[in-house]
Amino acid sequence: MKRKRVAVLVSGRGSNLQALLDAAADPVFPAEVALVISNVAGVQALERAAKASVPTEIISHRDFPDRPSFEQALSKRLEQAGVELVCQAGFMRILTARFVEQWHNRLINIHPSLLPAFPGLDTHARALAAGVKLHGCSVHFVRAEVDSGPIIGQAAVPVLTGDTPESLAARVLQAEHGLYPRCLQLVAAEQVDLQGELVRLSEQEASNAQLFNPAPRM
Ligand code: GRF
């Protein structure tokens, strides 16, 4: 199967972009990162893309009078580049229903919580305040409502005594770097089926993919 042309939308550090670039460096990975677009100039994500010899572009929302015109420019560039799938990776702009519809089931996001818990910002502090014992990250198809849409995959991490939002964020981020490439691999290889708004994987996960916290007694 031909590798899918993927664009990654970023706004900052780009550690998830790096995980996708590293995965796509393997020629058997079913997707190639064809373009990285940032809405902010000078961010680390752009350096990471340049280092991997991936074309970059800055489309600043500040250069447009409103959200629709910014998104139109974004879509136009994605189409020009022959992009088939779009991954949001720390992209800090909310996209309107029109853009989301245009890229329906071709637009993917990673969110640092086990959705549908904790949509929105400050997920790690909110998870600690709620006292949950498992936290994590989700990769999902994007729908118009913020941080909603069919869940492709999730990774859970334990919340440990003494965790701070920072220590928990670091543990979740490590899980993100494993989860995002895996989910992109499944989507790009067309192993993800949607039944209504639910994702069904044609390749079943191993039955030992379970996480307990506290750990069960042996
Ligand atoms: C990640 O935690 C991601 O889940 C969230 O924003 C953060 C981006 O980090 N959407 P990075 O730019 O990928 O390092």
Side-chain angles (χ1 to χ4, degrees):
M1 195 189 292
K2 215 175 129 276
R3 301 178 92 198
K4 295 271 187 314
R5 287 175 69 75
V6 171
V8 185
L9 305 183
V10 296
S11 302
R13 176 179 56 185
S15 68
N16 278 290
L17 165 67
Q18 189 67 58
L20 298 177
L21 289 170
D22 292 348
D26 182 342
V28 304
F29 193 77
E32 61 173 309
V33 182
L35 177 64
V36 170
I37 299 180
S38 175
N39 66 317
V40 185
V43 293
Q44 197 187 353
L46 290 167
E47 286 169 33
R48 295 179 191 269
K51 214 170 177 179
S53 306
V54 170
T56 60
E57 194 134 342
I58 297 156
I59 303 181
S60 171
H61 55 282
R62 293 175 197 275
D63 293 341
F64 297 88
D66 50 27
R67 242 177 241 276
S69 54
F70 164 65
E71 292 178 356
Q72 240 165 39
L74 201 58
S75 255
K76 195 171 159 200
R77 189 65 199 92
L78 293 169
E79 276 161 9
Q80 275 170 353
V83 164
E84 298 165 279
L85 288 171
V86 181
C87 291
Q88 293 180 231
F91 182 65
M92 299 305 285
R93 298 302 295 170
I94 291 171
L95 295 164
T96 66
R98 191 173 167 180
F99 183 92
V100 169
E101 276 314 307
Q102 199 178 349
W103 292 91
H104 191 72
N105 293 345
R106 298 184 296 158
L107 178 62
I108 302 166
N109 182 43
I110 185 155
H111 179 75
S113 78
L114 294 172
L115 291 171
F118 313 122
L121 298 174
D122 299 324
T123 55
H124 309 301
R126 287 158 62 209
L128 288 175
V132 295
K133 295 289 176 265
L134 290 171
H135 184 43
C137 50
S138 308
V139 173
H140 63 97
F141 288 113
V142 175
R143 296 293 184 259
E145 200 183 320
V146 174
D147 299 324
S148 75
I151 293 167
I152 301 162
Q154 295 185 306
V157 301
V159 178
L160 302 177
T161 307
D163 260 338
T164 61
E166 291 73 31
S167 65
L168 187 53
R171 194 174 306 121
V172 171
L173 193 64
Q174 211 176 357
E176 292 183 38
H177 298 160
L179 182 69
Y180 211 171
R182 175 71 177 125
C183 290
L184 176 59
Q185 179 189 35
L186 290 169
V187 175
E190 297 176 11
Q191 287 177 328
V192 171
D193 284 330
L194 272 162
Q195 287 174 7
E197 285 290 90
L198 297 182
V199 163
R200 299 278 176 241
L201 297 182
S202 47
E203 186 191 301
Q204 278 310 315
E205 290 296 304
S207 59
N208 64 0
Q210 292 174 355
L211 214 161
F212 288 80
N213 177 30
R217 281 186 187 282
M218 296 310 280

